[in-house]
Amino acid sequence: MPAPSSHVAEVPGGGNSAGEERAHFDALIAREQRIEPRDWMPDEYRNTLIRQVAQHAHSEIIGMQPEGMWITRAPSLRRKAILLAKVQDEAGHGMYLYSAAETLGADRADLTAKLIAGRQKYSSIFNYPALTYADVGVIGWLVDGAAICNQVPLCRSSYGPYARAMVRVCKEESFHQRQGYELLLTMMAGTPGQREMVQDAVDRWWWPSLMMFGPPDESSPNTAQSMAWGVKRHTNDELRQRFVDMSVPQADRLGVTLPDPDLAWNESRGSYDFSEPDWAEFAQVLAGNGPCNAARLARRRQAHEDGTWVREAALAHAAKRSGGRP
Ligand code: 3HC
């Protein structure tokens, strides 16, 4: 775990030249020390963090939609309470991450406007529909499971506020995955129709879950630099492989079949071989042509508009309390 850096960039002699500040930044990264908001950092480091943290935050908020639509249709009060807690957690994760982005100088309202205008991304996974209640369990098991694979290493990200936000997020994600898996175990012990619902959901969510980790390393424009700066600790392909190796035994325990005929244990690699996801589909979803892209952004835009009065009231109250002082 990187040690916290010197909060104030202690560069010998003060009044530092750009070269000295850059050298100090590089030394912090090399020593695996955290970069904190008040430390000098290259614009490129700041910008790629704003890019990634904003996408992460947007993903948490948009990610509330697929499952949120099942809250009113949960089959029992217990399932409804669990799903309410999970969807509420995702909102909180978004808030932590927008706060982390603000420590980099980003403006939350500006990030929201860019999301709604389609000028910033959110995870491709949330552009697929949650068609049956089994999807709630499969999203918990596979999507939150993939998020855990991706987010646990981010607890060691070089940027302090991002890494610290991830610690709390990951604790809640493990609940998200377990509740989904427990729901699926229950359905798989149920009727043949319930078992068919689970298998159908697995068939629809498996490949989009693999795409969550990003494009193959050789076509990732950001991975090499993000790894050099310690923003990311593993490459997209490394984490995708880790997710497959984790999921196959879980699928066996559930009694479902993962929809990849080439999935097979490779003794020499100590991992599972698996087929390449459909990267043309991935590119289409990122281009806005996925099954639910338009609906997700329309819903987010509507929620933002519906919340205008809340923001105005909060700002008016704050102004009144401060007596108009900024
Ligand atoms: N969905 C949408 N865009 C994606 C993507 C995906 N699954 N994978 C990659 N991209 C985008 C990248 O943002 C980048 O575009 P940009 O330069 O315009 O931002 C481009 O495709 C190339 O990808 P790279 O691999 O070069 O980009 P990164 O180095 O940023 O890696 C990432 C992509 C692995 C998603 C990384 O950004 C990351 O780890 N982000 C934080 C974690 C995250 O977003 N997790 C998923 C959503 S959160 C979630 O699942 C909530 C949970 O509660 C369910």
Side-chain angles (χ1 to χ4, degrees):
M1 178 72 71
S5 75
S6 53
H7 284 305
V8 178
E10 292 163 0
V11 180
N16 310 300
S17 70
E20 285 168 328
E21 287 176 327
R22 180 65 195 239
H24 182 64
F25 170 84
D26 290 342
L28 287 176
I29 294 292
R31 292 200 301 265
E32 292 271 311
Q33 283 192 271
R34 285 271 162 78
I35 305 298
E36 297 296 340
R38 285 173 293 172
D39 288 334
W40 183 90
M41 64 186 81
D43 290 345
E44 299 82 1
Y45 178 85
R46 184 185 304 276
N47 293 338
T48 206
L49 271 162
I50 290 175
R51 173 189 64 80
Q52 177 166 328
V53 175
Q55 174 191 356
H56 201 159
H58 296 332
S59 303
E60 301 281 3
I61 299 302
I62 298 285
M64 293 164 68
Q65 292 187 31
E67 293 167 300
M69 60 178 280
W70 283 97
I71 289 174
T72 55
R73 293 183 275 166
S76 69
L77 181 59
R78 174 174 177 266
R79 292 294 178 193
K80 184 193 288 277
I82 290 171
L83 190 52
L84 266 172
K86 182 198 189 289
V87 172
Q88 184 175 317
D89 280 350
E90 309 298 10
H93 297 173
M95 295 304 112
Y96 307 151
L97 288 160
Y98 284 127
S99 299
E102 287 174 323
T103 67
L104 289 157
D107 172 76
R108 188 180 303 220
D110 177 55
L111 296 181
T112 300
K114 282 176 177 161
L115 166 67
I116 290 173
R119 290 171 39 219
Q120 275 187 336
K121 295 183 170 72
Y122 58 93
S123 186
S124 52
I125 190 71
F126 298 122
N127 288 310
Y128 292 84
L131 298 176
T132 74
Y133 186 66
D135 288 50
V136 172
V138 171
I139 289 172
W141 171 40
L142 291 181
V143 177
D144 288 85
I148 288 170
C149 281
N150 167 284
Q151 290 170 163
V152 166
L154 290 173
C155 295
R156 293 184 293 112
S157 182
S158 59
Y159 186 60
Y162 191 29
R164 289 187 289 272
M166 281 299 104
V167 173
R168 169 77 179 270
V169 166
C170 288
K171 285 176 181 162
E172 292 173 343
E173 290 297 0
S174 61
F175 149 65
H176 297 174
Q177 186 191 32
R178 291 169 194 269
Q179 63 81 32
Y181 196 72
E182 186 267 338
L183 167 54
L184 296 179
L185 282 172
T186 305
M187 292 186 74
M188 290 303 284
T191 66
Q194 288 172 324
R195 287 195 288 275
E196 283 168 28
M197 282 171 71
V198 172
Q199 183 62 59
D200 166 64
V202 169
D203 294 344
R204 287 184 284 105
W205 287 94
W206 174 248
W207 294 109
S209 297
L210 295 191
M211 296 176 195
M212 281 177 71
F213 294 94
D217 293 347
E218 65 270 13
S219 53
S220 161
N222 299 296
T223 290
Q225 184 61 68
S226 290
M227 294 280 288
W229 277 330
V231 172
K232 290 167 85 169
R233 292 296 183 180
H234 297 281
T235 71
N236 299 353
D237 288 335
E238 287 169 356
L239 293 179
R240 194 173 359 256
Q241 179 69 69
R242 186 178 292 186
F243 173 68
V244 171
D245 290 347
M246 176 183 84
S247 301
V248 173
Q250 293 170 346
D252 292 345
R253 173 66 184 79
L254 265 182
V256 296
T257 305
L258 296 173
D260 179 0
D262 297 334
L263 197 62
W265 178 252
N266 182 319
E267 190 59 40
S268 63
R269 290 196 316 119
S271 280
Y272 285 90
D273 292 336
F274 58 98
S275 308
E276 276 296 303
D278 181 344
W279 296 117
E281 176 184 324
F282 177 70
Q284 279 301 309
V285 174
L286 260 59
N289 304 320
C292 298
N293 294 58
R296 297 290 184 242
L297 282 184
R299 180 78 189 85
R300 181 68 191 90
R301 183 178 300 110
Q302 187 60 55
H304 190 64
E305 289 167 3
D306 292 349
T308 302
W309 70 271
V310 176
R311 292 190 296 277
E312 289 173 349
L315 290 171
H317 177 68
K320 186 177 176 189
R321 287 195 50 182
S322 68
R325 288 185 307 277

